[in-house]
């Protein structure tokens, strides 16, 4: 008898399972920190977050909203691979223009950093170059903002060539105004009269500083990335144009990060893409083919997740990917039913969609709201959401609850073929019957001695193919 191995006893892993295993194979080992002592070099190396302290400025909204924003920042930091030690929120009318939180709070924050042994401070907002420099000089540790944190997560999770190029472009656009030299001695080199015979030691040279050299190289790299992404846009547009030419309806899945978009795609199509309980777990868009209960084919595209205050560099870099939503026939807006404030997630997603619409100069497709994670939400929250979002469908991608009803709703909302034909197709032309079933909507079907009698809704090109077999002067 043949001996069974372990691989014979388990099912073939999906692409998402393999990617999740690869992502989980690397873990941080405590006590091996090799932090650079010169904090001016922070822009020239990848972010490596370890032990962090969070700080936020509460300028508007309620205290609960400010705490929820800081809690989301903590989940972002953990997704990036860090350990959150402490969090501070300061009530101010607006952030301090010099240090973001004010000099008094900076001293308090310095004491906390020393007491906890943190090596990184993350601010819940986008810092100006001056604020970043002031905080690093006073805290003596690495300081980053919410934008840099999100960009770092994107850099970790990008897999495709297009995704990596888009993330690198966003990082470089963020870096350009925050460039600093490697040290004071190398950051000033004069040209012209200052670099003449009497210019002094260290001031003679071609006149281009190290900072200017870095900026010029980054601008050249940005230009190259834009050309590469434009070429990728052409390929994406060609594929999209082919689907449009074939009149295949398309559905774009949008929603807040970690709302369960990839899980829903797997539940409907069995795509097997990566699913992880983390923010921005998947970045690269995935398109899969699916079918309605009546046999009509459509495509389902999983897009990148949104978040409050999504960095504008990311919106610009992922413009081609986000444009998939504007070209879709239907938006499947996924909402996390177990989140404490799901309506704020809905507003954040709609703000980004409005920005896409403004640049695309066309209205957004119809929206179907799906309340996911029904298995983790309490009944009272679901009742409240049904009231706030009338017409929404409640599902659980994890258990499969409500998924059949969702597919039925998709079938009702998707555009239908607009030409009604009545044809008697001989049995020798079975490929036409199969085409009607795959590309149209069969209303009636009857098998006669002469062939198959069909009444169906089809596209104009299919109607033309059936024209020779039309019955009773039908459009076919």
């Amino acid at each position: 008898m043949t001996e069974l191995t372990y691989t014979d006893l388990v099912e073939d892993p999906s692409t998402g399972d393999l990617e999740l295993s690869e992502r989980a194979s690397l873990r941080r080992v405590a006590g091996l920190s090799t932090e650079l002592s010169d904090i001016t070099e922070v822009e020239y190396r990848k972010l490596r977050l370890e032990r962090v302290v969070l700080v936020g400025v509460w300028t508007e909204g309620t205290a609960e909203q400010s705490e929820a924003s800081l809690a989301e920042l903590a989940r972002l930091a953990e997704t990036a691979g860090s350990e959150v030690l402490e969090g501070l929120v300061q009530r101010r009318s607006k952030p301090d223009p010099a240090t973001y939180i004010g000099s008094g709070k900076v001293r308090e924050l310095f004491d906390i950093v020393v007491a906890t042994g943190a090596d990184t401070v993350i601010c819940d907002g986008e810092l100006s170059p001056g604020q970043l420099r002031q905080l690093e000089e006073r805290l003596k540790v690495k300081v980053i903002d919410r934008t840099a944190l999100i960009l770092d997560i994107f850099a970790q999770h990008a897999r495709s060539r297009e995704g990596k190029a888009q993330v690198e472009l966003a990082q470089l656009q963020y870096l350009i105004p925050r460039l600093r030299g490697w040290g004071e001695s190398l950051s000033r080199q004069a040209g012209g009269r200052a670099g003449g015979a009497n210019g002094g030691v260290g001031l003679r040279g071609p006149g281009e500083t190290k900072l200017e050299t870095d900026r010029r190289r980054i601008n050249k790299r940005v230009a190259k990335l834009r050309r590469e992404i434009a070429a990728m846009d052409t390929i994406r547009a060609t594929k999209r144009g082919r689907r449009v030419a074939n009149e295949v309806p398309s559905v774009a899945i949008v929603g807040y990060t970690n709302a369960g978009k990839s899980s829903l795609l797997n539940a409907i199509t069995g795509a097997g893409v990566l699913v992880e309980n983390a923010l921005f777990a998947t970045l690269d868009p995935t398109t899969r083919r699916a079918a309605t209960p009546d046999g009509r084919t459509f495509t389902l595209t999983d897009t990148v997740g949104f978040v409050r205050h999504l960095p504008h560099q990311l919106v610009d870099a992922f413009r081609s990917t986000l444009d998939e939503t504007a070209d879709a026939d239907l938006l499947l807006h996924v909402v996390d039913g177990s989140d404490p404030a799901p309506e704020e997630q809905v507003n954040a997603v709609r703000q980004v969609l409005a920005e896409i619409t403004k640049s695309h100069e066309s209205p957004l497709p119809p929206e179907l709201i799906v309340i996911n994670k029904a298995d983790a939400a309490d009944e009272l929250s679901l009742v409240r959401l049904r009231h706030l979002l009338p017409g929404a469908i409640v599902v659980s991608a994890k258990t499969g609850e409500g998924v059949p009803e969702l597919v039925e709703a998709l079938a009702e909302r998707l555009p239908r073929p607009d030409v009604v034909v009545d044809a008697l197709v001989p049995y020798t032309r079975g490929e036409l019957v199969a085409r009607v079933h795959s590309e149209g909507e069969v209303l009636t079907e009857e098998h006669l001695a002469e062939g198959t009698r069909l009444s169906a809704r089809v596209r104009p090109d299919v109607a033309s193919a059936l024209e020779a077999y039309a019955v009773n002067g039908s459009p076919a």
Side-chain angles (χ1 to χ4, degrees), residues 395-413:
V395 304
S396 171
K398 182 178 181 180
T399 64
E401 174 192 350
V403 174
E405 291 80 1
L406 173 59
V407 176
E408 290 284 352
L410 285 175
E412 294 177 3
R413 303 256 187 139

Side-chain angles (χ1 to χ4, degrees), residues 406-434:
L406 173 59
V407 176
E408 290 284 352
L410 285 175
E412 294 177 3
R413 303 256 187 139
L414 288 176
R416 296 176 179 271
D418 52 1
V419 180
V420 179
V421 299
D422 187 7
L424 181 61
V425 184
Y427 290 118
T428 56
R429 300 300 307 274
E431 77 281 0
L432 287 178
V433 178

Side-chain angles (χ1 to χ4, degrees), residues 104-401:
K105 212 65 172 178
V106 169
R107 288 191 293 270
E108 182 181 339
L109 182 58
F110 176 77
D111 294 338
I112 293 176
V113 168
V114 173
T116 58
D119 55 21
T120 303
V121 171
I122 306 178
C123 297
D124 191 16
E126 184 166 334
L127 299 177
S128 67
Q131 291 171 331
L132 191 64
R133 182 175 62 254
Q134 288 277 354
L135 285 174
E136 285 187 340
E137 288 177 354
R138 300 188 185 193
L139 297 177
K140 308 301 180 185
V141 294
K142 181 172 57 183
V143 178
I144 66 169
D145 57 18
R146 182 188 181 92
T147 299
L149 177 61
I150 294 176
L151 290 173
D152 182 69
I153 296 173
F154 272 57
Q156 291 181 38
H157 292 176
R159 290 291 178 266
S160 69
R161 179 168 170 261
E162 182 180 11
K164 291 178 180 179
Q166 290 169 330
V167 172
E168 184 180 355
L169 175 61
Q171 287 179 313
L172 292 177
Q173 288 176 324
Y174 171 82
L175 175 62
I176 287 174
R178 293 167 176 81
L179 277 177
R180 281 176 285 168
W182 287 81
E184 292 300 321
S185 61
L186 292 179
S187 63
R188 296 189 184 94
Q189 188 178 53
R193 295 183 61 184
N198 299 322
V201 177
L203 292 181
R204 305 179 186 91
E208 186 175 38
T209 66
K210 178 67 170 64
L211 193 62
E212 291 168 340
T213 303
D214 291 340
R215 186 174 288 116
R216 175 168 49 81
R217 289 177 176 174
I218 289 178
N219 284 328
K220 288 178 64 176
R221 179 61 179 164
V222 166
K224 182 179 179 182
L225 286 172
R226 289 190 186 279
R227 290 194 298 269
E228 291 179 358
I229 293 174
M232 297 175 197
D233 289 350
T234 303
I235 298 174
R236 181 182 295 276
T238 301
K239 293 180 179 179
R240 187 164 57 236
R242 192 175 301 143
R243 293 197 298 266
V244 172
N246 293 331
E247 297 188 15
V248 178
S250 61
V251 178
I253 305 177
V254 299
Y256 209 78
T257 179
N258 204 32
K261 298 183 298 298
S262 299
S263 300
L264 198 60
L265 178 69
N266 289 343
I268 296 175
T269 66
V273 297
L274 171 71
V275 172
E276 185 180 8
N277 185 22
L279 305 184
F280 300 116
T282 53
L283 299 180
D284 300 316
T286 303
T287 300
R288 291 292 184 269
R289 185 177 292 266
T292 61
D294 55 7
R296 287 178 292 141
T297 301
F298 67 96
T299 60
L300 207 60
T301 301
D302 179 19
T303 61
V304 64
F306 301 150
V307 73
R308 297 181 189 91
H309 313 300
L310 187 68
H312 61 87
Q313 295 93 345
L314 284 176
V315 176
D316 292 338
F318 281 78
R319 179 73 60 189
S320 61
T321 303
L322 297 175
D323 280 347
E324 292 274 354
T325 61
D327 294 328
D329 294 297
L330 180 67
L331 294 183
L332 206 62
H333 186 167
V334 183
V335 181
D336 184 356
S338 62
D339 189 83
E343 60 273 17
E344 293 185 14
Q345 294 189 358
V346 173
N347 293 333
V349 171
R350 286 176 173 169
Q351 285 177 3
V352 179
L353 291 177
E355 187 174 348
I356 298 171
T357 306
K358 190 182 301 181
S359 65
H360 203 268
E361 297 181 353
S362 62
L364 279 175
E367 179 187 58
L368 174 60
I369 295 183
V370 180
I371 302 172
N372 193 22
K373 302 186 182 181
D375 56 305
D378 59 88
E379 190 61 33
L380 184 61
S381 298
L382 293 179
V383 171
R384 187 176 67 89
L385 280 176
R386 284 192 180 99
H387 177 71
L388 289 174
L389 307 170
I393 299 177
V394 179
V395 304
S396 171
K398 182 178 181 180
T399 64
E401 174 192 350

Side-chain angles (χ1 to χ4, degrees), residues 27-47:
R27 283 286 181 264
R28 171 182 172 272
V29 179
L32 298 181
S33 174
T34 55
E35 284 295 316
L36 297 175
S37 58
D38 184 3
I39 61 171
T40 63
E41 301 180 14
V42 66
E43 304 93 352
Y44 296 91
R45 54 198 167 85
K46 292 184 178 179
L47 299 177

Side-chain angles (χ1 to χ4, degrees), residues 57-67 91-93 344:
V57 174
W58 169 25
T59 59
E60 58 183 3
T62 64
E64 290 77 12
Q65 289 175 330
S66 66
E67 292 175 1
R91 184 71 167 98
R92 296 178 64 96
S93 59
E344 293 185 14

